[in-house]
Amino acid sequence: MNRGIVALAVIVAVVVAVIALGGGHSTNGQTQPPAKPDPSRPAPPPGPNIVVPVKIVLECEKPTKLEDKAADGSVIMRIGSAHMGKTIGYLEIPDGWIKTCGLENVKGEDTGGKLPGKAFYEFDAPREDEYYICLRAKWMDSCGNSVWVRIDDRPYVGVEDEIGKIDDSNFKWMWHPVTEMAKIKVFKLSAGKHVLELNTKEDGPMFDKVLIATDANVPGESEVDP
Ligand SMILES: [Ca+2]
Ligand SMILES: [Ca+2]
């Protein structure tokens, strides 16, 4: 390369650097006041660093696929509706077909998926993120206050708690977080299609909605439509 062109390029680079470093200063060394925002102009759109929370609500009475029969053909999951100011639809595991309290198998073992009664719900995660799951459910009693939950083909997670208890056989509709080690469980999901499954753990409970959200807060009793 010609030495003259190289020298010119160096000079141009130095001038550009001086202008860049001196940005905001006038040539006489006086600092310019910052420009005031023009109220006639619309506010700029949110930048890419502003993350919008995600809330996906699944109605339990509208499964993508329902396996509602036991081996003998009896119906062990059914869709119902209740009127509480407004009508809500729900999925119910009717009471009376599980003889022993809890699992027919050994309680405490990871036996999710062994009992009949499975409801599947397809949903779309809009982005890869950490999600939390809550169920709006009404338990029946201490032998009807649980369900297995899983995403895709991951291990089943048991949900069992005393939330909404008025007395031993009387519970309110409440939101139940899917927990692990006494903390709300984190589900790392990729963007795109996933399937949430509800599987029988005990008979008796009813399920209104599933909330899958990037916000870990559990909705309150009055938040029927989160
Ligand atoms: Ca029961
Ligand atoms: Ca519902």
PDB file of all heavy atoms in Angstrom, residues 59-61 88-90 207-209, ligand 2:
ATOM      1  N   GLU A  59     -57.323 -24.739  30.510  1.00  0.00           N
ATOM      2  CA  GLU A  59     -58.580 -25.133  31.155  1.00  0.00           C
ATOM      3  C   GLU A  59     -58.590 -26.659  31.271  1.00  0.00           C
ATOM      4  O   GLU A  59     -58.493 -27.368  30.267  1.00  0.00           O
ATOM      5  CB  GLU A  59     -59.782 -24.650  30.334  1.00  0.00           C
ATOM      6  CG  GLU A  59     -59.990 -23.146  30.340  1.00  0.00           C
ATOM      7  CD  GLU A  59     -60.469 -22.593  31.681  1.00  0.00           C
ATOM      8  OE1 GLU A  59     -60.752 -23.399  32.606  1.00  0.00           O
ATOM      9  OE2 GLU A  59     -60.557 -21.354  31.797  1.00  0.00           O
ATOM     10  N   CYS A  60     -58.718 -27.142  32.500  1.00  0.00           N
ATOM     11  CA  CYS A  60     -58.598 -28.589  32.730  1.00  0.00           C
ATOM     12  C   CYS A  60     -59.712 -29.393  32.060  1.00  0.00           C
ATOM     13  O   CYS A  60     -59.524 -30.576  31.765  1.00  0.00           O
ATOM     14  CB  CYS A  60     -58.554 -28.871  34.228  1.00  0.00           C
ATOM     15  SG  CYS A  60     -57.113 -28.135  35.015  1.00  0.00           S
ATOM     16  N   GLU A  61     -60.862 -28.738  31.809  1.00  0.00           N
ATOM     17  CA  GLU A  61     -61.972 -29.446  31.169  1.00  0.00           C
ATOM     18  C   GLU A  61     -61.792 -29.530  29.653  1.00  0.00           C
ATOM     19  O   GLU A  61     -62.659 -30.064  28.956  1.00  0.00           O
ATOM     20  CB  GLU A  61     -63.315 -28.778  31.528  1.00  0.00           C
ATOM     21  CG  GLU A  61     -63.554 -27.402  30.924  1.00  0.00           C
ATOM     22  CD  GLU A  61     -62.903 -26.262  31.723  1.00  0.00           C
ATOM     23  OE1 GLU A  61     -62.037 -26.547  32.572  1.00  0.00           O
ATOM     24  OE2 GLU A  61     -63.277 -25.104  31.478  1.00  0.00           O
ATOM     25  N   ILE A  88     -67.863 -22.443  36.011  1.00  0.00           N
ATOM     26  CA  ILE A  88     -66.521 -22.913  35.681  1.00  0.00           C
ATOM     27  C   ILE A  88     -66.611 -24.382  35.270  1.00  0.00           C
ATOM     28  O   ILE A  88     -67.423 -25.150  35.783  1.00  0.00           O
ATOM     29  CB  ILE A  88     -65.528 -22.759  36.861  1.00  0.00           C
ATOM     30  CG1 ILE A  88     -65.936 -23.615  38.066  1.00  0.00           C
ATOM     31  CG2 ILE A  88     -65.348 -21.304  37.258  1.00  0.00           C
ATOM     32  CD1 ILE A  88     -64.756 -24.076  38.875  1.00  0.00           C
ATOM     33  N   GLY A  89     -65.776 -24.734  34.307  1.00  0.00           N
ATOM     34  CA  GLY A  89     -65.666 -26.133  33.902  1.00  0.00           C
ATOM     35  C   GLY A  89     -64.506 -26.752  34.646  1.00  0.00           C
ATOM     36  O   GLY A  89     -63.542 -26.058  34.986  1.00  0.00           O
ATOM     37  N   TYR A  90     -64.574 -28.027  34.924  1.00  0.00           N
ATOM     38  CA  TYR A  90     -63.466 -28.682  35.629  1.00  0.00           C
ATOM     39  C   TYR A  90     -63.316 -30.128  35.173  1.00  0.00           C
ATOM     40  O   TYR A  90     -64.204 -30.700  34.533  1.00  0.00           O
ATOM     41  CB  TYR A  90     -63.669 -28.612  37.154  1.00  0.00           C
ATOM     42  CG  TYR A  90     -64.946 -29.266  37.654  1.00  0.00           C
ATOM     43  CD1 TYR A  90     -65.026 -30.646  37.805  1.00  0.00           C
ATOM     44  CD2 TYR A  90     -66.070 -28.498  37.965  1.00  0.00           C
ATOM     45  CE1 TYR A  90     -66.195 -31.251  38.252  1.00  0.00           C
ATOM     46  CE2 TYR A  90     -67.241 -29.097  38.418  1.00  0.00           C
ATOM     47  CZ  TYR A  90     -67.292 -30.466  38.564  1.00  0.00           C
ATOM     48  OH  TYR A  90     -68.453 -31.062  38.989  1.00  0.00           O
ATOM     49  N   PHE A 207     -60.220 -30.273  39.189  1.00  0.00           N
ATOM     50  CA  PHE A 207     -59.217 -29.351  38.652  1.00  0.00           C
ATOM     51  C   PHE A 207     -59.873 -28.372  37.676  1.00  0.00           C
ATOM     52  O   PHE A 207     -60.512 -28.798  36.722  1.00  0.00           O
ATOM     53  CB  PHE A 207     -58.107 -30.124  37.936  1.00  0.00           C
ATOM     54  CG  PHE A 207     -57.468 -31.163  38.820  1.00  0.00           C
ATOM     55  CD1 PHE A 207     -57.940 -32.480  38.816  1.00  0.00           C
ATOM     56  CD2 PHE A 207     -56.453 -30.817  39.687  1.00  0.00           C
ATOM     57  CE1 PHE A 207     -57.385 -33.433  39.658  1.00  0.00           C
ATOM     58  CE2 PHE A 207     -55.882 -31.757  40.538  1.00  0.00           C
ATOM     59  CZ  PHE A 207     -56.354 -33.071  40.521  1.00  0.00           C
ATOM     60  N   ASP A 208     -59.702 -27.082  37.942  1.00  0.00           N
ATOM     61  CA  ASP A 208     -60.280 -26.035  37.088  1.00  0.00           C
ATOM     62  C   ASP A 208     -59.277 -25.583  36.028  1.00  0.00           C
ATOM     63  O   ASP A 208     -59.557 -25.629  34.834  1.00  0.00           O
ATOM     64  CB  ASP A 208     -60.721 -24.854  37.977  1.00  0.00           C
ATOM     65  CG  ASP A 208     -61.181 -23.639  37.188  1.00  0.00           C
ATOM     66  OD1 ASP A 208     -61.436 -23.769  35.986  1.00  0.00           O
ATOM     67  OD2 ASP A 208     -61.285 -22.547  37.792  1.00  0.00           O
ATOM     68  N   LYS A 209     -58.090 -25.127  36.481  1.00  0.00           N
ATOM     69  CA  LYS A 209     -57.119 -24.532  35.552  1.00  0.00           C
ATOM     70  C   LYS A 209     -55.698 -24.908  35.940  1.00  0.00           C
ATOM     71  O   LYS A 209     -55.425 -25.222  37.093  1.00  0.00           O
ATOM     72  CB  LYS A 209     -57.196 -22.998  35.598  1.00  0.00           C
ATOM     73  CG  LYS A 209     -58.454 -22.385  35.052  1.00  0.00           C
ATOM     74  CD  LYS A 209     -58.377 -20.857  35.148  1.00  0.00           C
ATOM     75  CE  LYS A 209     -59.568 -20.190  34.504  1.00  0.00           C
ATOM     76  NZ  LYS A 209     -60.770 -20.203  35.348  1.00  0.00           N
TER      77      LYS A 209
HETATM   78 CA    CA B   2     -61.754 -24.747  34.093  1.00  0.00          CA
END
